[in-house]
Amino acid sequence: MINIMLSGCNGKMGQVISRLAADDENANIICGIDLNTEEICGYPVFSNPFDFKGTADVIIDFSHPSALSNNLSYAKETGTPIIVATTGLSKEQIDEVKETAKDVAVFYSANMSIGVNLLIDLARKATKLLSDKFDIEIIEKHHNQKIDAPSGTALAIADAINEELDNTYEYTYDRHSVRKKRSKNEIGIHAVRGGTIVGEHDVIFAGNNEVITLSHLATSKEIFAEGAIKAAKYLKGKAPGMYSMNSMIKEV
């Protein structure tokens, strides 16, 4: 049994994780952290992790970037492994995550879906074969309530592709203000917001007379919740360091 502290427990994703954990005989949410301290899911909820006097095996942070520093401080001070699944983090916050990993196990992923991480791996492999003759574009689609754009997942895909290209490509987010032809060394990233789209990502490799598209479609938030619970089980007892969905998949 793994005891989980869930940050962002009363948000949409937090409630999905709570529901799935309740049906998992090997997972138990021992407490929640949220600005709204109403006990919606049947466990105690605190506004600050330091108010919890018990012991958790792992923290799952599916909250808001503004809560990150406090959660990392708690993880570091108590030696509790933490899963950072919150999107929209700044470069400075990502650096803070990496710094925390020197003292405690940190699992960081822009997307907790195993399928999305398989898509990223396939995009890497496709880039090795196609990059010099194909233009690369990424299109991501999400619901109309999502604040950050482009999505953290779209950026993770772009970063993985760019690593295969020795980080020599530039990201282009908007072309309407500049009238010029597309540069060869660029990756176009486009965000669509509308309705209740859970998440959709397309990686387009456009060449002469042919187009190859890698796609992932999420139809339920459950895939991210399932990934977070699997990551919690994986991270329990791990030594300090940075861990990811990719490292988890390799060990399974």
Side-chain angles (χ1 to χ4, degrees):
M1 173 69 73
I2 182 168
N3 290 318
I4 300 168
M5 172 186 283
L6 178 57
S7 179
C9 61
N10 287 338
K12 291 180 180 178
M13 272 305 309
Q15 292 184 51
V16 176
I17 293 172
S18 297
R19 176 166 52 80
L20 293 185
D23 293 332
D24 189 330
E25 61 182 12
N26 295 313
N28 173 51
I29 298 180
I30 194 169
C31 75
I33 308 300
D34 204 290
L35 290 177
N36 170 17
T37 57
E38 182 180 357
E39 296 182 10
I40 295 175
C41 298
Y43 47 75
V45 179
F46 305 93
S47 60
N48 189 318
F50 288 96
D51 292 335
F52 175 60
K53 302 308 177 184
T55 302
D57 295 314
V58 176
I59 304 161
I60 296 178
D61 181 12
F62 241 123
S63 57
H64 186 272
S66 62
L68 178 68
S69 289
N70 202 36
N71 287 334
L72 292 177
S73 294
Y74 176 85
K76 185 175 179 178
E77 185 170 317
T78 60
T80 310
I82 182 169
I83 296 163
V84 179
T86 300
T87 61
L89 302 183
S90 66
K91 181 182 180 301
E92 291 73 22
Q93 288 177 311
I94 293 174
D95 289 340
E96 187 178 1
V97 169
K98 293 178 180 178
E99 186 67 24
T100 301
K102 295 178 180 178
D103 298 293
V104 69
V106 177
F107 187 109
Y108 175 65
S109 178
N111 191 300
M112 296 305 297
S113 161
I114 292 176
V116 161
N117 285 275
L118 175 59
L119 174 70
I120 293 174
D121 187 55
L122 292 172
R124 284 182 181 274
K125 293 177 179 178
T127 301
K128 290 180 181 179
L129 296 172
L130 306 174
S131 62
D132 59 335
K133 295 182 180 179
F134 286 72
D135 296 322
I136 304 170
E137 298 281 311
I138 299 169
I139 302 174
E140 57 96 345
K141 304 174 185 177
H142 285 86
H143 53 84
N144 57 23
Q145 299 302 300
K146 187 172 179 61
I147 298 174
D148 55 311
S151 69
T153 301
L155 291 173
I157 295 170
D159 289 345
I161 290 171
N162 210 9
E163 285 177 9
E164 296 299 326
L165 301 168
D166 297 323
N167 292 309
T168 57
Y169 278 46
E170 296 183 353
Y171 300 163
T172 298
Y173 303 101
D174 190 4
R175 294 193 176 92
H176 84 279
S177 61
V178 179
R179 293 178 58 83
K180 68 176 184 178
K181 293 182 179 180
R182 184 190 195 281
S183 167
K184 178 63 180 176
N185 292 339
E186 71 175 64
I187 299 173
I189 306 176
H190 315 279
V192 175
R193 297 288 176 267
T196 58
I197 301 171
V198 175
E200 184 173 348
H201 293 86
D202 295 319
V203 186
I204 300 169
F205 294 86
N208 291 329
N209 304 314
E210 62 179 334
V211 176
I212 299 167
T213 302
L214 302 176
S215 298
H216 179 271
L217 172 63
T219 58
S220 170
K221 292 180 181 293
E222 285 193 6
I223 64 171
F224 311 119
E226 289 172 353
I229 293 172
K230 286 181 181 178
K233 294 175 181 177
Y234 163 78
L235 199 62
K236 179 182 178 180
K238 283 285 191 292
M242 285 291 294
Y243 299 86
S244 67
M245 187 65 72
N246 190 45
S247 59
M248 182 178 75
I249 291 172
K250 288 181 178 179
E251 288 191 28
V252 172

